[in-house]
Structure formats: C-alpha cells, structure tokens
Amino acid sequence: MSKGLPARQDMEKERETLQAWKERVGQELDRVVAFWMEHSHDQEHGGFFTCLGREGRVYDDLKYVWLQGRQVWMYCRLYRTFERFRHAQLLDAAKAGGEFLLRYARVAPPGKKCAFVLTRDGRPVKVQRTIFSECFYTMAMNELWRATGEVRYQTEAVEMMDQIVHWVQEDASGLGRPQLQGAPAAEPMAVPMMLLNLVEQLGEADEELAGKYAELGDWCARRILQHVQRDGQAVLENVSEGGHTLEAGWFLLRHCIRKGDPELRAHVVDKFLLLPFHSGWDPDHGGLFYFQDADNFCPTQLEWAMKLWWPHSEAMIAFLMGYSDSGDPVLLRLFYQVAEYTFRQFRDPEYGEWFGYLSREGKVALSIKGGPFKGCFHVPRCLAMCEEMLGALLSRPAPAPTPACRGAE
Amino acid sequence: MSKGLPARQDMEKERETLQAWKERVGQELDRVVAFWMEHSHDQEHGGFFTCLGREGRVYDDLKYVWLQGRQVWMYCRLYRTFERFRHAQLLDAAKAGGEFLLRYARVAPPGKKCAFVLTRDGRPVKVQRTIFSECFYTMAMNELWRATGEVRYQTEAVEMMDQIVHWVQEDASGLGRPQLQGAPAAEPMAVPMMLLNLVEQLGEADEELAGKYAELGDWCARRILQHVQRDGQAVLENVSEGGHTLEAGWFLLRHCIRKGDPELRAHVVDKFLLLPFHSGWDPDHGGLFYFQDADNFCPTQLEWAMKLWWPHSEAMIAFLMGYSDSGDPVLLRLFYQVAEYTFRQFRDPEYGEWFGYLSREGKVALSIKGGPFKGCFHVPRCLAMCEEMLGALLSRPAPAPTPACRGAE
C-alpha cells in the first residue's frame, strides 16, 4: 500500500493533465469554428471563401475545390458527432457548399473530372491532372448523406469513388496526364493515403461498402508501406514530408485497429510516428521541419525549413491515437510536446484560427489564416479528433495500479 | 578651371569604381563558368547535370529541359562573344547538350511539344502545358547555329519559334491545357516576356528574321505594359514578382533602344526599374523580396520574404543597362547597391557559384548550387552582360566636364 500511493497520485496527475488538454482543445475548437462561420460563408453563391487574412477579411474570392469539399466534410462531421455543433446554421452552410460542388465542381458533366479552382460563381479556372479534387468531393458527399439522410448525396459519393478507383487501378488516361516513359513506376504516396482515407470514410458503420472496399484498403496499406521502405524506384519520393508520413501513420493505425493487426501496428508506430518525429523535430527551435531528405541532402523545396501548421496538427492526432491504442507513455509525452509547441506558436489569440506558416525560428512568415491550401480542415479536424480521443481516454476505468515499477520511479 | 578640377576628379573616381567592378565581375564569371564546367557535364549521355550540391556533387541526375537549353545558350554565347571563352571544351559541351535536346526533348516527334524534365538518358518524366521548354530549346538552337554555323540548328530554331507563336497567338490546344470558362482572359506576363526575349534572340544581326518578328515584338511589349498597368482582368497576376518585373524591364529597355523610343524608355525606367526596386527592397536587411502584392496583402507564396538569387542578377542587369542608356546617375547608384548586396550575400567564396535561396535575414536557406530551377544561366548571363556593359561604359570618350553643377556638389 505504501508503494501504491505515489502510483495512484501519478495517475491522478496524469488524468488532470488529460482533462486540462481536453478543455483547452475543446475551447480552441469552438473558437476556430466560430472564425470560419463568421468569415467564410458566401451567402450569395453558396460555398466558402477560404482566402482569408489574419483578421478574417477575404483577400481573394476564388474557390478551391479541395477546400470546399473539406469544409463541407468538416461541418457535417461536427454536426453529426458533437452535440454542441448540432445546429441548423452549420448544416445549412454545409448543404449550400455541397450544392455548389454538385453544380459546379465537374468541368464537363456528366464527366467526373473536377476543377482544382473555380471563380466565386463557379466557373472553372484550373484543372489538375490528379484525383484529389474528386477525393474531397467524395468525402463531402458521403458526410452530407450521413448528416442529412438524403440518398442523392451518397449516390454521388459512391459513383465518384468508383471513378477514382478506376483512374488509379485501371486506366488513368481520363485524368489527362500523358503516359511518359521516364515517369516513376510508383504513384506518389499521397494517392494510396487519400484512397485509404476514403475507404475508411465510406466504410464507417456501413458493412456493405466496408466489404466492397476491403481489398482496396489492403492495397493502399501495402503501397504506403512500400514507400517508406524505399522498395520502389520512386526516386522522386526520396524527399519525404514528415507531416505526410505522420498523417499516413494515423491512417494506417486506424487500418490496423480495423484489421486487428498488432504486429503491423508496432511497425507503423516505429516508422510512421517515431522516425519522422526524431528526424523531423528541430532541436534548436522546436517544431517539425516541413521536408526532410532521406539521404540528408538539402531539399530543393524552398519551405523545407519552415514550420507549417498541418504537420503539427497531424502529429498531434498521430501521437494521441498511438497512445490511445497502445498505452505507450512515450507517445503521450510526444503528444504533449507537439501540442505545447503548436498551441504556443500557431494559435492567434487575437483574431482566432491558427497561422499556417512560420519561419524556422517560429516567427509568423505569412499572416494569412486561409489560402489556396489552408482552409477549414486540418485545424478543426485535429481539435475534434483530439477532443474525442481525450474524452475516451478519460472515460476509461482507471486500471489497477502497478505498484512496483511506477512507484519506484 | 578651379571648378572643373573636382568634377574631373569625380569622374576619375567614377571610372575607377567602374573599372573595379568590371574586374570583379569578370573574375567572378571565370569562377562560375569553371564550376559548371567541372561539375555539370554528363560525359556519357551529353547534356548537363544541374542538381548540384554546395560543393558541386550531383544529388539528382534528372535533366530539366529549361536548364539544358539555357546552358547550351549560355556556353555558345560565351564562346561567341568573349575571346577568353573561345575554346573547344565549351563548344563541345554545348554541342553535346544540343544533340541531347534534339534527340530527346520532344515528347512525341515530329510533334514539337517538349518535356519539362527527362531522365539522365532522355526518357520524358513530366510535361508542362506551357511554352517555356520550347522557348529555351529555341534559344539553344539559335545560339548553336551562331556559334557553329551549322544550318540545321537554325532550321530547328525557326520551326520551333513558328510553333510557339502559333500556340500563343492562334491556337493553344496543342499545349494540352483545357479551355476553361473561368480562366483569366490574359496570359501570364511570363509569356510575352519570353517571346520578346526570343524576338531579340532571333533578330540579332539578322534583318530578315528581325523583320519577320517585328510586329510580334510590338505585341509583346504592349502585353507586358498592360500587365503592369493592371488593365487586364488578370486577377491572378495581382501578385507581382519584383524580379520578373526587373527582368521584363531590361527586355523592354532593349526593345526601346531598337525602336528608338525615349518616351517609352522613361516609362519603363519608372515602372519596371524604380517602382519594383522601391517597393521590393527590404529596408531592414537589404536585398529584394521575392513577391510583392499589388494591394499590400500578404502573398500566399511561402517564399515571398526570401531572397532569391535571380531577382538580384536581373536587377544588376536592369540598372546597369538603364544607366548605360540614359546616363542617369541614380540608376548607377542602384546598380552598386544591388551588386554590393548580391556579391556579399549570394557568392560562395569557398566552392564557387552562388547560393540561390537565402532567408529574409540573408542566411543561406538552401545550400544547393543548382536544382530544378537554378542552372548555368542567370548568374553567368548577369556577369557576362555586366562585364560587357561596364567595358562599353569605360571605352566611351570622357564627356567634357560640366563645371557648375558637379563641381559645386
């Protein structure tokens, strides 16, 4: 008993820290959602402005399809899974965004290819020869169906998913990218990552679709694992983005949980969580570098040494998920380390939302809150998922103390 | 006479400064050319490695077509116009690069569309839906003809030029970019800039081609001028690159000299030289910012506040050309200011060549000497042109002193 007491105190302190972070994260989620609700809604055409300055002012009214789809997804997800966000204003904005996408995202309907960016009133400005606009379109439609129950959204989602799978696994010619002799054999890691994300999205509480895409999920996991093991001849992939790896890490963790594969989980924690953290954390100024070269060459990307918001939000998710799943206290420490840095450096206590782009030293390099690649997505997704995971950890029954080891510490 | 003496002293001091810069620039040109000669030649396949680390080591053997064409052009130009570079090693490397381009640059011959990047042995990796690979191909072929006298190079150059003009002025569908309703009406400023450069290249000492492209040159000048006056609806062009504007500035200056248009010249000096300098020069740390937003918004480009080598080399050319042409001492002062910063911050006295990417504060951010966008071009072109212009200034007969104003200073 005399040794059990400090262990119990440790655990109570641990719970207090978890509880404090749960509150901090929840309050931040409220502030972030409020920022986008106040500044980003286009009342005239539907959809969202995402090019917002520090205080929320629109500096460009272009509509990036990735970010339209992501915001619809985020709003529906919040509406569906958080009691306090279950209000009509959020759902109405999501529906208006969804209708905007339905009407304008596709460049030449009934063809499924979507634009990358549209004018405010929906005319296509630019088309990318990739699958990503279509993937975020699919995520938006699937969540809209879940939030509203309207089947037409789900029909859209499944039809687009089938098209995407066809482009990736059978015939990419519909994307408009020429087949080139010297092109790398493997697709970029972002492709199987994105697809794995969609497999989970569409399969959630849906046995039929989960079954339909089960094999695809395995294929995605294999492809992602190959990238990290440098099996492929994907020379262009030698430069790895730590943030991407961490994001792939938590996609794979969820895959392992679904499959019940503890061996793979250990590998994922090792290669996708701990490795990018240890090679990517800046020992001088804190924070995660954006790019790291596998062979320690200097990356050619100008932003390699900058600190970007999304690798940090992905790292928070990955470490907290890793800890929730494995109970390994090392992962909880890393969550705290990243979260402390992130809240201190990226949050804007004055106008809300987070800055996206800091210098290596942590100074704000770009004062914008949104742009062509930053919208209402990574930050609220991170906060919402962390709030949920912290809540789940706190609601677990306290385990029996293990006096010997912990008490002796 | 008593007042004429200090004026003469001023002028002599001025000549000494010009002479010192001419020597500094000439020696630097020798070092830079030596760097590329030593590290970039692919003896096996022809063409050039341009992905070179600080000390010259090849970190990637991909061959970017822009940079292949530019290096061929640069070598021929040096061979043709500088006595000390008229040696076989330089010309042989240029010819090997030219043959590599002739054999591999086009994706599907006899079609004229060129790849953006090739493997070391010439297989296409990526194609851009723009005209730039083809423009640098044209520049290379025209210079090869001038340096070797072999007509087949010139035939290639003129045929490619005709194709480019067709894409720009008549029908862009061959570039593979879909026509989109929301796309900006005007082409990016880089297109008329690049074409104006080609008009000058092909028309040099060639009355027939100069005549053939005279109207095209006027069209390019008008289009470039429109961009700066913000006449077009080119919303995407609100963010201006100071370096691009300065480069356009000296292209236009040469156009004015050819046309003999002093009124346009004054406008160009104002809007394309002085304006970008005054809005783009960093008052705190020196050097030119990379991007500036026309409306003072924060640019979304991550590198906006970085210092890149090429806006500085273009500024050196522009100010020295402006001074040579107008005699305005303000422009000479600006040349010195930019050149001092550039030599101090970008040069690598240890391994040769210049660093390309500095932080806002002037620290080396990327240690590479070459990459996908930096090759043997901007630095040696700047040094060669400045050496020539400084030589021309020094060989002018000294003007009669104007005692009153200068002596009283």
Side-chain angles (χ1 to χ4, degrees):
Chain A
M1 271 305 273
S2 61
K3 277 187 176 176
L5 209 64
R8 181 162 297 275
Q9 282 172 347
D10 277 0
M11 275 192 298
E12 266 164 31
K13 225 184 124 201
E14 192 71 80
R15 285 183 70 83
E16 272 168 38
T17 313
L18 289 172
Q19 183 63 43
W21 267 107
K22 179 170 180 288
E23 277 158 31
R24 211 170 161 189
V25 158
Q27 281 161 15
E28 186 60 16
L29 179 59
D30 290 350
R31 292 188 75 229
V32 164
V33 174
F35 179 91
W36 293 100
M37 298 264 299
E38 186 177 343
H39 301 294
S40 73
H41 297 186
D42 181 356
Q43 304 294 354
E44 197 177 329
H45 297 277
F48 308 99
F49 303 119
T50 61
C51 292
L52 304 177
R54 181 180 176 190
E55 74 294 351
R57 193 155 67 107
V58 177
Y59 63 82
D60 194 338
D61 62 7
L62 286 174
K63 289 182 177 157
Y64 293 86
V65 171
W66 295 20
L67 302 190
Q68 302 296 312
R70 284 167 159 183
Q71 192 157 354
V72 170
W73 178 87
M74 193 70 240
Y75 275 18
C76 291
R77 193 94 186 169
L78 290 169
Y79 178 88
R80 265 206 314 128
T81 54
F82 286 77
E83 191 61 38
R84 70 183 191 275
F85 289 120
R86 184 173 279 274
H87 51 73
Q89 209 196 334
L90 211 60
L91 188 62
D92 288 347
K95 285 201 283 194
E99 295 303 322
F100 183 86
L101 284 174
L102 280 172
R103 203 169 307 135
Y104 302 117
R106 280 159 305 179
V107 178
K112 297 240 170 254
K113 190 79 198 79
C114 291
F116 174 69
V117 55
L118 304 164
T119 58
R120 183 182 171 187
D121 60 359
R123 287 169 295 131
V125 177
K126 212 170 170 180
V127 181
Q128 281 190 327
R129 298 168 292 181
T130 61
I131 59 165
F132 302 110
S133 288
E134 294 76 9
C135 289
F136 292 114
Y137 180 97
T138 306
M139 280 177 68
M141 292 302 152
N142 182 257
E143 270 297 327
L144 265 176
W145 165 64
R146 293 174 189 273
T148 64
E150 288 186 44
V151 177
R152 65 192 177 103
Y153 293 127
Q154 175 69 342
T155 309
E156 274 294 319
V158 173
E159 283 180 12
M160 187 61 92
M161 180 69 176
D162 290 344
Q163 174 68 78
I164 293 166
V165 175
H166 178 81
W167 282 330
V168 173
Q169 295 199 316
E170 287 167 48
D171 180 8
S173 62
L175 293 173
R177 190 177 284 277
Q179 299 288 308
L180 299 172
Q181 253 203 311
E187 73 286 337
M189 187 168 83
V191 169
M193 271 179 68
M194 193 71 234
L195 277 184
L196 184 57
N197 195 23
L198 282 178
V199 166
E200 197 197 338
Q201 173 72 35
L202 294 172
E204 186 193 332
D206 187 330
E207 267 187 47
E208 195 195 320
L209 285 187
K212 177 177 174 184
Y213 298 124
E215 232 175 87
L216 178 64
D218 293 341
W219 179 88
C220 293
R222 279 198 308 275
R223 289 298 182 115
I224 298 170
L225 290 164
Q226 273 175 13
H227 268 281
V228 168
Q229 294 165 347
R230 308 182 65 177
D231 278 345
Q233 293 166 312
V235 178
L236 288 169
E237 296 282 319
N238 271 356
V239 174
S240 71
E241 297 174 40
H244 238 152
T245 312
L246 287 157
E247 189 178 15
W250 69 259
F251 288 1
L252 285 172
L253 274 186
R254 296 230 272 208
H255 180 73
C256 297
I257 295 168
R258 282 198 304 279
K259 310 281 289 186
D261 188 336
E263 206 176 316
L264 181 58
R265 184 187 74 192
H267 178 74
V268 168
V269 168
D270 235 41
K271 301 295 182 204
F272 287 78
L273 270 60
L274 298 176
L275 190 70
F277 180 84
H278 290 302
S279 67
W281 185 261
D282 181 350
D284 299 324
H285 307 283
L288 293 160
F289 288 121
Y290 188 42
F291 282 103
Q292 290 276 300
D293 188 280
D295 297 315
N296 281 321
F297 284 113
C298 171
T300 60
Q301 290 79 358
L302 301 192
E303 61 273 30
W304 77 273
M306 292 181 84
K307 308 288 162 65
L308 269 64
W309 85 105
W310 69 264
H312 294 82
S313 60
E314 298 310 300
M316 284 175 63
I317 298 172
F319 290 126
L320 194 54
M321 192 182 289
Y323 171 67
S324 300
D325 185 32
S326 69
D328 182 349
V330 167
L331 296 172
L332 184 60
R333 292 289 158 272
L334 291 178
F335 166 75
Y336 289 146
Q337 185 177 341
V338 176
E340 287 291 358
Y341 175 90
T342 305
F343 269 63
R344 188 175 64 242
Q345 302 295 130
F346 286 99
R347 271 184 83 228
D348 180 5
E350 206 162 337
Y351 293 99
E353 245 292 320
W354 294 5
F355 297 111
Y357 306 88
L358 312 179
S359 74
R360 179 172 187 162
E361 292 78 16
K363 266 175 51 186
V364 174
L366 273 64
S367 59
I368 53 171
K369 295 291 171 54
F373 296 99
K374 184 172 187 289
C376 177
F377 184 61
H378 286 101
V379 178
R381 177 172 76 168
C382 161
L383 296 169
M385 288 181 70
C386 288
E387 189 183 329
E388 279 179 336
M389 290 189 280
L390 289 163
L393 282 169
L394 286 163
S395 69
R396 283 187 196 170
T402 50
C405 346
R406 302 232 84 187
E409 258 170 32
Chain B
M1 268 307 272
S2 61
K3 277 188 175 175
L5 209 63
R8 181 162 297 274
Q9 282 172 347
D10 276 359
M11 275 191 300
E12 267 164 30
K13 224 184 123 201
E14 193 71 79
R15 285 182 70 83
E16 273 169 36
T17 312
L18 288 173
Q19 183 65 42
W21 267 108
K22 179 169 180 290
E23 277 158 31
R24 211 173 162 187
V25 158
Q27 281 160 13
E28 185 61 15
L29 179 60
D30 291 349
R31 292 188 75 230
V32 164
V33 173
F35 179 91
W36 292 100
M37 298 263 299
E38 185 178 344
H39 301 294
S40 73
H41 297 185
D42 181 357
Q43 304 295 357
E44 197 178 330
H45 297 276
F48 308 98
F49 303 119
T50 61
C51 292
L52 303 178
R54 182 180 174 189
E55 75 294 350
R57 192 155 67 107
V58 177
Y59 62 83
D60 195 339
D61 62 7
L62 286 174
K63 290 179 176 159
Y64 293 86
V65 171
W66 293 22
L67 302 190
Q68 302 296 313
R70 284 167 160 182
Q71 192 157 354
V72 171
W73 177 88
M74 193 71 240
Y75 276 18
C76 292
R77 193 93 186 170
L78 290 169
Y79 178 88
R80 262 202 321 126
T81 54
F82 286 77
E83 190 62 37
R84 70 185 191 275
F85 290 119
R86 184 173 280 272
H87 52 73
Q89 209 195 336
L90 210 62
L91 188 63
D92 288 345
K95 284 200 283 193
E99 294 304 323
F100 182 86
L101 284 174
L102 280 172
R103 203 170 307 135
Y104 301 118
R106 280 159 305 178
V107 179
K112 298 240 171 255
K113 190 79 198 79
C114 291
F116 173 68
V117 55
L118 304 164
T119 58
R120 184 183 170 187
D121 60 0
R123 288 169 294 131
V125 177
K126 213 171 169 179
V127 182
Q128 281 190 328
R129 298 169 293 182
T130 60
I131 59 165
F132 303 110
S133 289
E134 294 76 10
C135 289
F136 293 114
Y137 180 98
T138 306
M139 281 176 68
M141 293 301 150
N142 181 258
E143 270 297 326
L144 265 176
W145 165 66
R146 292 175 189 272
T148 65
E150 290 185 42
V151 177
R152 64 193 176 102
Y153 294 126
Q154 174 70 341
T155 310
E156 274 294 319
V158 173
E159 284 181 10
M160 188 61 93
M161 180 69 176
D162 290 343
Q163 174 67 78
I164 294 166
V165 174
H166 177 81
W167 281 330
V168 172
Q169 294 198 318
E170 286 166 48
D171 179 8
S173 63
L175 294 174
R177 191 176 282 278
Q179 299 288 307
L180 298 171
Q181 253 204 312
E187 74 285 336
M189 186 167 84
V191 169
M193 270 178 70
M194 191 73 235
L195 277 184
L196 184 57
N197 195 22
L198 282 178
V199 166
E200 197 197 337
Q201 173 72 36
L202 294 171
E204 185 192 333
D206 186 330
E207 267 186 47
E208 193 194 323
L209 286 187
K212 177 177 174 184
Y213 298 124
E215 233 176 85
L216 179 64
D218 293 342
W219 179 87
C220 293
R222 280 198 308 277
R223 289 298 181 113
I224 298 170
L225 290 164
Q226 272 176 13
H227 268 280
V228 169
Q229 294 165 347
R230 306 183 65 178
D231 278 345
Q233 292 165 313
V235 177
L236 290 168
E237 296 282 320
N238 271 356
V239 174
S240 71
E241 298 174 41
H244 238 153
T245 311
L246 286 157
E247 189 179 16
W250 69 259
F251 289 180
L252 286 172
L253 274 186
R254 296 231 271 209
H255 180 76
C256 297
I257 295 167
R258 282 199 305 278
K259 310 282 287 185
D261 188 337
E263 205 176 316
L264 181 58
R265 184 187 75 191
H267 178 75
V268 168
V269 167
D270 234 43
K271 301 294 182 204
F272 287 78
L273 272 58
L274 299 175
L275 190 68
F277 179 85
H278 290 302
S279 67
W281 186 261
D282 180 351
D284 299 323
H285 307 282
L288 292 161
F289 288 121
Y290 188 42
F291 283 103
Q292 290 275 299
D293 188 279
D295 298 314
N296 281 321
F297 284 112
C298 171
T300 61
Q301 288 81 357
L302 300 191
E303 61 273 30
W304 76 272
M306 292 180 85
K307 308 288 162 64
L308 269 64
W309 85 105
W310 69 265
H312 295 81
S313 60
E314 298 311 299
M316 284 174 63
I317 298 171
F319 290 126
L320 193 55
M321 192 182 288
Y323 171 68
S324 300
D325 185 33
S326 70
D328 182 348
V330 167
L331 296 172
L332 185 60
R333 292 289 157 271
L334 291 178
F335 166 75
Y336 290 146
Q337 184 177 340
V338 175
E340 287 290 359
Y341 175 90
T342 304
F343 269 63
R344 188 174 64 242
Q345 301 295 130
F346 286 101
R347 269 184 87 228
D348 180 6
E350 207 162 338
Y351 293 99
E353 246 289 321
W354 294 4
F355 296 111
Y357 306 88
L358 312 179
S359 72
R360 178 172 188 163
E361 291 78 14
K363 266 174 51 185
V364 173
L366 273 64
S367 60
I368 54 172
K369 293 291 170 53
F373 296 99
K374 182 172 187 291
C376 177
F377 184 62
H378 285 102
V379 179
R381 177 173 75 168
C382 160
L383 295 169
M385 289 180 70
C386 287
E387 189 183 330
E388 279 179 336
M389 289 189 282
L390 289 163
L393 282 169
L394 286 162
S395 68
R396 284 186 195 171
T402 49
C405 349
R406 300 233 83 183
E409 257 170 30

